[in-house]
Amino acid sequence: MKVVILNASPRKKGLVSQMLEIIQENLAENCEVETIHVNDLSVRPCIGCMKCRSSFQCCLPEDDAQRTLQKIKESDALIIGSPCYWGNINGYLKVLFDRMVYGMMDENKMGIPIPLHKGKRAIIVTTCTTIFPFNILFKQTRGVVNALREILKWSGFKIIGTIEKGGTKKHHELSEREKNKCKKLAQKLLKQSTK
């Protein structure tokens, strides 16, 4: 099984990165796993020309958006981690997904979306400084999850699990419970890939 991990955290030792690393370690023995650090990519913003929707390719010169999309196309599963910025995914990740829309979903003649990654699995990982349960109630980490659910749903991915960690300002470490949840999500992904 091929797995792509999109790490949108600018902190390579931060909590999002740590959770993604635990998942990767638990997949590595049985999967081909590649982690992409989104904020290290060179991606120009979408210009909104809509040409990609009919030509199925971006009109901008090739950059890391097209290369990342190709890796997602070749994968069986996608794991995405993003810190919460203003109740949403961070800007690096948003720019990347804006540029890849033509390779994530198509649409029929009436404009109804057609998912291009049907049958693939996904996991969402997010953190924020707002304490639990307010990170969920105030739609902080939940805002990240909802934004990624929309992208993944219309692209055809089945989300098999999410991890939302609030209160990172005071809690700089992962609890054993959170580490175990990461391991269990990796195991669930492996189990579902064998079905």
Side-chain angles (χ1 to χ4, degrees):
M1 177 169 68
K2 279 186 160 182
V3 179
V4 169
I5 297 176
L6 293 180
N7 182 350
S9 175
R11 297 181 181 183
K12 292 188 179 166
K13 304 267 186 216
L15 294 174
V16 167
S17 297
Q18 288 176 42
M19 288 189 282
L20 293 173
E21 194 171 295
I22 292 167
I23 294 170
Q24 180 177 2
E25 287 170 359
N26 283 270
L27 293 173
E29 193 174 307
N30 299 299
C31 303
E32 181 182 325
V33 184
E34 181 174 1
T35 297
I36 298 169
H37 293 276
V38 177
N39 64 318
D40 290 345
L41 300 177
S42 176
V43 178
R44 287 182 53 194
C46 177
I47 59 171
C49 69
M50 301 300 284
K51 289 179 184 171
C52 67
R53 301 309 292 272
S54 57
S55 68
F56 298 101
Q57 62 184 22
C58 184
C59 70
L60 294 175
E62 185 171 328
D63 62 16
D64 289 329
Q66 291 97 327
R67 289 185 277 277
T68 301
L69 175 59
Q70 188 58 41
K71 291 175 184 187
I72 292 171
K73 285 180 177 181
E74 293 168 359
S75 74
D76 302 298
L78 182 60
I79 301 168
I80 307 172
S82 176
C84 174
Y85 287 11
W86 289 99
N88 211 318
I89 60 178
N90 72 12
Y92 292 112
L93 191 57
K94 177 71 167 84
V95 167
L96 180 63
F97 277 120
D98 286 349
R99 282 285 306 286
M100 298 189 309
V101 66
Y102 67 93
M104 302 297 283
M105 59 170 260
D106 192 5
E107 55 188 30
N108 68 17
K109 291 177 185 177
M110 296 184 338
I112 297 171
I114 300 169
L116 298 178
H117 296 271
K118 206 160 180 66
K120 294 184 180 184
R121 307 281 190 251
I123 295 171
I124 298 170
V125 175
T126 184
T127 62
C128 74
T129 57
T130 308
I131 61 170
F132 178 83
F134 302 105
N135 63 308
I136 293 170
L137 296 173
F138 296 162
K139 296 189 169 66
Q140 295 301 300
T141 55
R142 187 52 46 97
V144 173
V145 170
N146 289 342
L148 289 172
R149 276 189 194 282
E150 279 298 298
I151 292 166
L152 294 169
K153 173 182 73 174
W154 295 114
S155 301
F157 287 89
K158 178 183 178 190
I159 299 165
I160 63 161
T162 64
I163 303 173
E164 299 177 56
K165 178 174 177 57
T168 60
K169 190 173 187 178
K170 290 190 177 185
H171 304 284
H172 306 292
E173 307 284 327
L174 291 175
S175 68
E176 285 306 311
R177 186 171 173 263
E178 290 160 337
K179 290 176 185 177
N180 285 331
K181 185 166 184 182
C182 293
K183 290 176 188 175
K184 285 179 182 174
L185 278 176
Q187 291 165 358
K188 187 175 180 181
L189 182 61
L190 285 170
K191 191 181 282 186
Q192 289 198 4
S193 72
T194 59
K195 288 183 179 180

